[in-house]
Amino acid sequence: MRDAPDAPRLPSSPGFWRSPLRGPWFTSVLGIVLLAGITVLFVTGLVSYAAYNPDLASVNDKTPDKGILGFYLFAWPTDPHWLYRLNQGVHVTLGITLIPVLLAKLWSVVPRLFALPPARSLAHALERISLLLLVGGALFEFVTGVLNIQLDYVFPGSFYALHFYGAWVFFAAFVAHALLKLPTALRNLRHLREPVAEKSDLVSPRPAEPTVSRRGALWFVGGGSLLLFATTAGQNFDGPLRRTALLAPHGGGDPGSGPNGFQINKTAAYAGIDAARTGEDTWRLVVTGRTGTVRLSRARLAELPLHSAALPIACVEGWSTSDQWWRGVRLRDLAALVGYDDDPPDVFVESLQQRGAFRQAALRANQVADPRSLLALHVNGEPLSPDHGYPARIIVPAAPGVLNTKWVARLTFGDL
């Protein structure tokens, strides 16, 4: 059917938006869900950033100009050992799950983005500004987050800096908008059933014939979120559940079998590690500290007291493994070899990898002192494979995966 001759043709006209689903009740329900979900996302994102110990050393700090935005940073603990795995699993899985809710929320308020005049009062102007920053910030944060999870680094600059600063801008607009709208949202939600009639700029003056109820639309949005959850959450587990993570790069793929058959993020070939540099006759671990430098072959390391720890690998991209059994030399015992018998200090770790991010990393003294922090030589009863860091790698409880440096070449103990 053709529109009537007097049908509005501009998005700024109230009658242009004709969906009968739009209204305060529908928008308020979505808003309350996002209020809770985005708050959790923001907190877990800040916690994730703190886990890198960015105040420890420049190699850990991907946002060196953060200034006051780093006010909350704290020394990252090693207990519980699954802390980072839980944090990133919640952060990434919840972010993916909220995408349908976010899109539905943006769709529900789109008429307000085109409303004229731009500002009717100071309060209205503040609301419009917060709304524009909120929409732009939400799209930016969710898009960059999804691209990072999918390993598509098509955005300019560092993901860490973009996502970190974008999160603060977005959350500031989010808080301002929530303070302005929360009383109205709660008032709308006091009704257990949809109101028969609503008065709002979101309600079309000439609504089209409904094809689904608002509750039906909410069920549709919830179903989309449930589907994304089911096809993403499995990347946090090993075994059959990982195969359900069809939308995650580290989900449905087969990591192989045997003791070294668990997920990795970077292969030895990708990192430029070849057998000529890791052979028994060529590779030596250089350990430097208060009393000088020692050089240790893998065979010499194996003669030192060896210890075991069951620890997972957890990545900022949300995937993780279950606990793997690692065996190697305690970091605090290596510190003792170079003069730190009682109180091990920080350590600067360098990899054989020549290029790329996190080929160097710093660990705090509390991480070095933990008896489960190892320079691992074996995993699950077998020597490390090249892809898992042979001849030796770092494994530290609760640390982000990128700080568990593979193909370790040098350890420098001391205050950083």
Side-chain angles (χ1 to χ4, degrees):
M1 179 188 299
R2 300 176 65 180
D3 287 341
D6 59 346
R9 297 181 179 275
L10 296 177
S12 57
S13 302
F16 182 87
W17 309 97
R18 301 192 59 199
S19 173
L21 296 180
R22 289 190 179 93
W25 185 86
F26 185 71
T27 298
S28 296
V29 171
L30 297 172
I32 292 297
V33 173
L34 288 176
L35 177 63
I38 288 178
T39 300
V40 173
L41 283 182
F42 185 67
V43 172
T44 53
L46 293 184
V47 169
S48 175
Y49 181 64
Y52 285 76
N53 284 319
D55 283 344
L56 177 62
S58 59
V59 294
N60 290 23
D61 189 0
K62 299 305 176 182
T63 56
D65 299 321
K66 59 186 176 297
I68 195 173
L69 298 182
F71 71 93
Y72 73 95
L73 294 174
F74 54 94
W76 187 248
T78 55
D79 279 309
H81 73 276
W82 40 259
L83 178 59
Y84 192 74
R85 181 186 184 191
L86 174 65
N87 186 83
Q88 284 311 103
V90 170
H91 184 74
V92 171
T93 305
L94 178 60
I96 294 292
T97 302
L98 285 178
I99 288 177
V101 184
L102 175 68
L103 294 178
K105 171 70 172 179
L106 295 180
W107 173 86
S108 75
V109 299
V110 70
R112 286 181 176 159
L113 298 178
F114 297 93
L116 295 176
R120 295 189 297 268
S121 65
L122 178 59
H124 184 242
L126 292 175
E127 179 187 340
R128 292 295 298 276
I129 292 172
S130 72
L131 185 60
L132 290 174
L133 290 174
L134 185 66
V135 171
L139 292 175
F140 180 84
E141 285 299 286
F142 276 79
V143 168
T144 54
V146 169
L147 288 174
N148 181 66
I149 294 165
Q150 296 299 323
L151 311 180
D152 291 330
Y153 303 110
V154 297
F155 35 76
S158 165
F159 163 76
Y160 295 93
L162 291 172
H163 208 63
F164 179 79
Y165 294 124
W168 278 105
V169 172
F170 166 58
F171 197 71
F174 178 75
V175 170
H177 189 75
L179 291 175
L180 289 168
K181 288 297 184 181
L182 185 58
T184 302
L186 293 176
R187 187 166 57 250
N188 291 329
L189 289 176
R190 286 174 188 160
H191 302 280
L192 297 179
R193 294 185 297 179
E194 299 178 51
V196 176
E198 296 179 297
K199 293 182 179 180
S200 168
D201 57 341
L202 294 177
V203 178
S204 175
R206 49 190 301 273
E209 194 68 25
T211 57
V212 64
S213 69
R214 287 175 181 167
R215 291 188 185 277
L218 287 177
W219 278 109
F220 180 75
V221 172
S225 291
L226 183 60
L227 178 63
L228 289 178
F229 176 84
T231 52
T232 302
Q235 68 174 334
N236 297 292
F237 308 94
D238 289 330
L241 278 178
R242 187 176 293 275
R243 297 185 181 277
T244 66
L246 302 176
L247 299 182
H250 296 282
D254 186 0
S257 58
N260 282 270
F262 55 95
Q263 292 293 328
I264 60 170
N265 213 25
K266 187 186 301 179
T267 65
Y270 176 86
I273 308 299
D274 55 45
R277 303 171 63 198
T278 59
E280 281 285 348
D281 296 333
T282 56
W283 180 82
R284 295 294 184 271
L285 174 70
V286 180
V287 184
T288 301
R290 178 187 291 158
T291 58
T293 298
V294 297
R295 297 170 61 87
L296 302 169
S297 67
R298 199 171 189 279
R300 178 71 184 93
L301 284 167
E303 293 173 356
L304 298 175
L306 300 182
H307 301 268
S308 297
L311 299 172
I313 296 289
C315 183
V316 69
E317 293 146 10
W319 67 269
S320 60
T321 73
S322 58
D323 290 354
Q324 310 295 323
W325 274 99
W326 307 89
R327 188 164 178 79
V329 182
R330 290 174 174 171
L331 292 183
R332 68 185 192 185
D333 292 342
L334 291 170
L337 291 178
V338 288
Y340 300 98
D341 296 306
D342 300 322
D343 191 18
D346 310 327
V347 65
F348 185 68
V349 185
E350 298 174 77
S351 172
L352 289 174
Q353 181 181 343
Q354 297 298 307
R355 294 178 301 278
F358 294 104
R359 64 187 182 277
Q360 300 171 328
L363 299 173
R364 286 193 184 276
N366 68 302
Q367 294 173 310
V368 175
D370 193 294
R372 297 163 296 177
S373 296
L374 305 175
L375 179 75
L377 307 176
H378 301 81
V379 62
N380 298 324
E382 294 291 337
L384 295 169
S385 70
D387 287 343
H388 281 295
Y390 181 89
R393 70 168 296 162
I394 296 293
I395 185 72
V396 172
V402 290
L403 298 185
N404 291 315
T405 309
K406 296 193 287 188
W407 315 294
V408 175
R410 179 183 291 269
L411 298 175
T412 303
F413 291 94
D415 294 331
L416 299 179

